[in-house]
Amino acid sequence: MASISIPKLLFESLFCIFYLLFAWVVIFLEGVRLRRVSKEVRSVGIWLFLAVLALALGDTTHVVPMVLYYFMQIGGIVDPPHPIYYLKQAGILASGVTMTFFYFFMFIYCWKRFQLPLAWIHPIKKSWPLWIAYVLVVARLALLIPPQNDFFLAPGTPTTGFKVFKILRNIPFAALSLVPMGIFFYYAAPKHRERTLRETMDPETAPHPCKSTYFWCGWAIVGSWVCYLGTVVGTMWITTLGVLMVPKTISYVLLIILLHVHEFVLPGRRSRKQALAASRMSNELEAPPGA
């Protein structure tokens, strides 16, 4: 049996468990919040909810078997491959599918949030990025199907084209993720400062757009992708790059927190403040003169 680092496996296992707990708690909170907001707010927030749900479902199918396999490695049950190994590999395939939909739902969220033309309402010439997103999703899913991806190949078995397909299947995936990232950076630009920060704070006292939610959302996607390239592609040549899984996951956590607060927490606080202000004004108008 190859030597393994027990502290490393324990750290990765605990880190993944806490991450999954965090993701499912956010999904619960967003689900509760969606039931209490207006139809207009729900039509936008539902896409963020679906994006986080896709992320959590994919990571659960991947992480749970992976953690079980880690504990099997600690116990010395690694050769021959246990069925849990193939379950872990199936989770990697499922995660590849759900991550595709994560970025697609994130793309639709941005499309709805910034009121961009929708493909099923506007002509193709006005919504061509959305049609491109459809093509990228289909291309990504199609490239996950060929057996050359070697998802279920036993350890130590010669590969049949693994590296080539590992790179190919991530090309449409990368292109799909670039769209929401570009939209976030676009609306964090100075000329969109007021729209970026609308309903969040007083435009007169708002900070520079580099401190805005959308700016950091864009950088969170950049960070996740830099680390993703290391963990998925770079590990084919340098196995130690697998440690980038941790900052990659942290980038996703940051993205989830930023958008959750922006979409579900701040609007509720604004509504309560507006209701309180309206109540005070009403009381002042009803108060008798000289009171």
Side-chain angles (χ1 to χ4, degrees), residues 3 39 45 47 107 131 150 154 180 183 210 226 238 259 261 266 277:
S3 61
K39 184 178 179 180
W47 295 104
F107 177 83
W131 288 101
D150 293 337
I183 292 175
C210 71
V226 170
I238 306 175
L259 291 178
V261 171
L266 291 180

Side-chain angles (χ1 to χ4, degrees), residues 8 60 94 102 106 108 127 130 154 161 164 174 184 202 205 215 223 225 230 240-241 255 287 289 291:
K8 176 178 177 293
T60 300
F102 166 76
M106 189 65 66
I108 301 296
S127 58
L130 196 55
V164 173
F184 283 135
D202 185 357
T205 60
F215 179 86
W225 249 102
T240 54
L241 288 177
L255 180 64

Side-chain angles (χ1 to χ4, degrees), residues 46-63:
I46 187 64
W47 295 104
L48 179 59
F49 171 79
L50 290 175
V52 180
L53 180 62
L55 181 68
L57 285 174
D59 285 340
T60 300
T61 59
H62 172 211
V63 167

Side-chain angles (χ1 to χ4, degrees), residues 148 176 202 206-207 233 272 279:
Q148 286 82 358
L176 184 63
D202 185 357
V233 180
R272 289 192 293 271
S279 177

Side-chain angles (χ1 to χ4, degrees), residues 12 42 49 55 59 62 107 124 128 167 189-190 214 228 243 257 260:
E12 291 183 4
R42 189 183 304 117
F49 171 79
L55 181 68
D59 285 340
H62 172 211
F107 177 83
I124 292 179
W128 59 267
I167 295 174
Y214 300 136
Y228 179 82
V243 72
I257 292 175
H260 174 78

Side-chain angles (χ1 to χ4, degrees), residues 49-201:
F49 171 79
L50 290 175
V52 180
L53 180 62
L55 181 68
L57 285 174
D59 285 340
T60 300
T61 59
H62 172 211
V63 167
V64 173
M66 182 182 72
V67 170
L68 293 176
Y69 189 68
Y70 279 170
F71 282 107
M72 290 171 55
Q73 283 185 300
I74 295 174
I77 312 173
V78 293
D79 192 25
H82 192 275
I84 291 294
Y85 168 80
Y86 294 103
L87 186 60
K88 176 179 75 74
Q89 294 302 105
I92 294 176
L93 173 59
S95 179
V97 173
T98 56
M99 283 302 300
T100 304
F101 284 101
F102 166 76
Y103 278 114
F104 178 71
F105 291 144
M106 189 65 66
F107 177 83
I108 301 296
Y109 164 75
C110 293
W111 217 245
K112 299 278 284 185
R113 164 52 59 202
F114 300 110
Q115 300 177 1
L116 303 176
L118 291 172
W120 51 82
I121 298 176
H122 297 271
I124 292 179
K125 65 179 181 180
K126 290 186 178 181
S127 58
W128 59 267
L130 196 55
W131 288 101
I132 291 178
Y134 295 151
V135 173
L136 292 174
V137 169
V138 172
R140 162 72 171 178
L141 297 179
L143 288 170
L144 288 171
I145 296 174
Q148 286 82 358
N149 285 291
D150 293 337
F151 284 115
F152 301 102
L153 201 66
T157 305
T159 60
T160 58
F162 171 68
K163 292 183 178 180
V164 173
F165 271 84
K166 198 169 188 179
I167 295 174
L168 285 178
R169 71 178 186 245
N170 281 296
I171 293 176
F173 184 55
L176 184 63
S177 67
L178 287 176
V179 181
M181 180 185 71
I183 292 175
F184 283 135
F185 280 134
Y186 180 77
Y187 281 97
K191 64 179 181 179
H192 295 289
R193 177 175 179 270
E194 184 174 350
R195 185 174 185 179
T196 300
L197 299 166
R198 70 185 187 282
E199 300 179 358
T200 302
M201 55 188 73

